[in-house]
Amino acid sequence: MSSTHHLAPSPGSPRFRAFTPRDLDGLLQRVSLTADQRLALRAVSAVLPFRTNTYVLDELIDWTAAPDDPIFRLTFPQEGMLPPPELRRMKDLLAREAPKAEVLRAAHEIRMKLNPHPSGQLDANVPVHEGQRLTGLQHKYPETVLVFPRQGQTCHAYCTYCFRWPQFVGEAELRIATDDIGTTSAYLRAHSEVTSALITGGDPLVMSTEVLRRYVEPLLEIDTIRSIRIGTKSLAFWPYRFTRDRDADDLLRLFEKVVASGRHLALMAHFTHPRELRPPVVREAMRRVRDTGAVIRCQGPLVAGINDSAEAWAELWEETTTLGAVPYYQFVERDTGPQGYFGVPLARGHEIFRDAYSRVSGLARTVRGPVMSAMPGKVCVDGVAEIAGEKVFVLHLIQARDPSLVDRPFFAAYDEGATWFTDLKPAFGASEFLPGLEPG
Ligand SMILES: *Cc1c(COP(=O)(O)O)cnc(C)c1O
């Protein structure tokens, strides 16, 4: 498999090994759980993706604190991730060792109830070129196109709260991906308003450097592309990708080539918890990336039970900044999959954001949030205010499908329990938030 050949280590390098639902029971022997709890976690992993690896197991998780350890929760299933009736259904099937086909059918039905593609992901953002739908691209905001390389649609480990979970559960019709690099280039050439290409997944850095190069180098032939971004969790989940993997040095040479072309290269690094920044190998990896001239920009969602505290975020942003990287977005957990379990209400989320933001140096206040990537655009919760006697959320769009809506304050009726844009109603009895911005 060329797509993962970098995982073959060079001599003396740590060996990558992925652990999947088959390994779950064995791994859970390390944690004090009842047989019923173990069954529940297996039931969750029959529906939602599970994958972890040796580095996460050995370097990141604090096993003495599991199952409550935040990094354990980052990759291991938890009972609450499925609604109780669905959890019960799957537990029953596993307990009576139902035929595989029956388990798969139930898993499929449950997934379809979990809003697999929120915010019109599968339709609303797919561009069309010469009559052909380019299903491996997303073009939502004029200046940026997302590219989903076919070989990059997995990760070194899966985050339990992942909003792109349908990419990983073998439901082909739910997957977004392309290997048609020629048509991608043709589209970008025909759209000179696109200045930024964001290669994402999955995780593009599960691809070998050789395969990644096939996606990156053609972009260097397109003058209107001024920045290239690579969305990745590999600094947190497999930092050896930048240090001791066989083609780590080739990867850094590729980064240097992008920078030498005069473009901005950003590694959009997904970090969830400050512990992910502690191992020395992560720091070495970040230094090596920065030495190529690439900028590391850090982002991640606010998730219950993992990082829902101001202490965690303040440390994450300060440490990111100390290591020469730039805090970018703090996301609100999307309205898909296990959002009911990991979601933090917007009101509480903003309190955590403000508290953390107030503690860090101005250098770290490059972060924006909490941000919802919703149907009309990236909606930032600016705060809570009282205006003309009404308690309201103050919000603005950082990005919008309709750029004329960007950076205009708008107001929603305060709702302590609201967790997503679609829960919000315009304040003051209005029918829309702004002219042209309707409730979701
Ligand atoms: C977040 C996002 C982008 C990038 O937005 P920036 O504000 O430029 O980081 C582009 N496309 C989609 C669909 C996005 O969700």
Side-chain angles (χ1 to χ4, degrees):
M1 263 200 1
S2 70
S3 66
T4 50
H5 97 273
H6 83 264
L7 301 177
S10 56
S13 172
R15 243 174 72 83
F16 181 86
R17 181 179 162 204
F19 294 81
T20 67
R22 255 188 322 236
D23 307 303
L24 184 60
D25 234 7
L27 290 168
L28 292 176
Q29 300 298 331
R30 304 191 196 184
V31 187
S32 138
L33 295 170
T34 65
D36 188 63
Q37 287 172 320
R38 274 212 297 280
L39 178 66
L41 303 198
R42 278 177 50 220
V44 173
S45 77
V47 178
L48 295 167
F50 167 67
R51 180 177 164 94
T52 191
N53 71 53
T54 35
Y55 174 80
V56 175
L57 296 174
D58 298 341
E59 308 294 335
L60 293 184
I61 292 174
D62 175 0
W63 288 97
T64 64
D68 298 330
D69 179 57
I71 307 291
F72 177 84
R73 291 181 171 166
L74 180 58
T75 63
F76 279 80
Q78 292 131 80
E79 291 198 37
M81 287 168 58
L82 289 183
E86 275 72 34
L87 180 69
R88 213 171 308 119
R89 178 178 177 196
M90 189 51 80
K91 276 174 72 179
D92 289 346
L93 289 172
L94 297 184
R96 65 176 169 82
E97 297 181 21
K100 188 158 185 212
E102 204 179 326
V103 173
L104 292 178
R105 194 165 53 242
H108 175 78
E109 286 170 16
I110 296 171
R111 284 173 196 143
M112 292 306 121
K113 290 186 192 168
L114 296 175
N115 191 23
H117 278 296
S119 304
Q121 286 246 342
L122 220 44
D123 298 317
N125 305 327
V126 173
V128 176
H129 185 65
E130 295 176 350
Q132 186 192 346
R133 282 166 46 85
L134 308 184
T135 52
L137 304 185
Q138 287 187 4
H139 192 184
K140 181 170 180 178
Y141 309 124
E143 71 285 353
T144 307
V145 162
L146 271 49
V147 181
F148 294 76
R150 182 178 60 75
Q151 302 92 330
Q153 298 314 312
T154 184
C155 298
H156 292 99
Y158 293 151
C159 303
T160 41
Y161 55 73
C162 183
F163 72 92
R164 292 230 174 98
W165 62 273
Q167 295 284 89
F168 311 129
V169 287
E171 304 264 1
E173 75 277 17
L174 296 180
R175 206 167 295 140
I176 309 167
T178 184
D179 53 12
D180 187 349
I181 296 161
T183 306
T184 300
S185 290
Y187 180 79
L188 295 176
R189 281 183 205 283
H191 288 265
S192 58
E193 76 277 16
V194 180
T195 55
S196 193
L198 201 174
I199 303 173
T200 186
D203 192 326
L205 294 183
V206 301
M207 297 191 287
S208 66
T209 301
E210 185 193 319
V211 175
L212 178 66
R213 188 189 304 283
R214 285 188 228 146
Y215 288 90
V216 170
E217 286 186 346
L219 299 173
L220 305 183
E221 305 299 316
I222 305 171
D223 291 342
T224 43
I225 296 294
R226 303 314 307 154
S227 63
I228 296 175
R229 317 187 212 182
I230 299 174
T232 186
K233 180 89 192 167
S234 56
L235 278 169
F237 279 168
W238 191 251
Y240 306 113
R241 182 70 188 91
F242 307 91
T243 62
R244 283 178 282 170
D245 273 359
R246 191 170 59 189
D247 60 352
D249 289 349
D250 291 344
L251 179 66
L252 300 174
R253 295 301 84 77
L254 178 62
F255 287 4
E256 282 169 358
K257 182 169 178 180
V258 174
V259 173
S261 80
R263 289 175 176 78
H264 180 115
L265 174 62
L267 206 64
M268 306 305 291
H270 175 180
F271 283 106
T272 316
H273 191 276
R275 197 189 301 159
E276 295 170 318
L277 291 165
R278 284 179 209 150
V281 61
V282 178
R283 292 158 183 258
E284 184 193 349
M286 289 174 79
R287 187 184 49 72
R288 297 193 92 206
V289 170
R290 295 208 308 123
D291 283 349
T292 68
V295 178
I296 303 170
R297 300 180 184 273
C298 301
Q299 54 189 10
L302 171 60
V303 270
I306 298 182
N307 63 13
D308 50 342
S309 78
E311 291 72 25
W313 283 96
E315 187 183 343
L316 185 60
W317 294 334
E318 272 297 359
E319 199 54 33
T320 297
T321 306
T322 303
L323 296 172
V326 184
Y328 195 69
Y329 282 138
Q330 183 204 58
F331 290 113
V332 176
E333 177 69 353
R334 282 198 196 187
D335 53 340
T336 178
Q339 187 218 22
Y341 181 70
F342 289 113
V344 176
L346 301 175
R348 173 77 189 127
H350 181 266
E351 263 175 29
I352 292 170
F353 179 91
R354 185 170 46 80
D355 190 353
Y357 191 82
S358 71
R359 298 179 195 208
V360 298
S361 150
L363 293 176
R365 296 191 193 186
T366 47
V367 70
R368 281 119 354 121
V371 176
M372 291 175 269
S373 201
M375 187 66 170
K378 282 207 164 60
V379 180
C380 185
V381 182
D382 294 315
V384 175
E386 197 170 304
I387 299 178
E390 185 175 335
K391 193 171 182 185
V392 297
F393 284 118
V394 183
L395 309 116
H396 82 283
L397 281 157
I398 295 174
Q399 289 284 3
R401 241 175 241 291
D402 169 3
S404 73
L405 297 174
V406 168
D407 212 17
R408 297 181 188 275
F410 63 93
F411 307 97
Y414 181 78
D415 174 352
E416 193 179 330
T419 57
W420 194 250
F421 183 68
T422 46
D423 298 331
L424 299 177
K425 304 270 179 295
F428 317 119
S431 62
E432 47 186 10
F433 292 113
L434 289 168
L437 181 59
E438 314 261 331

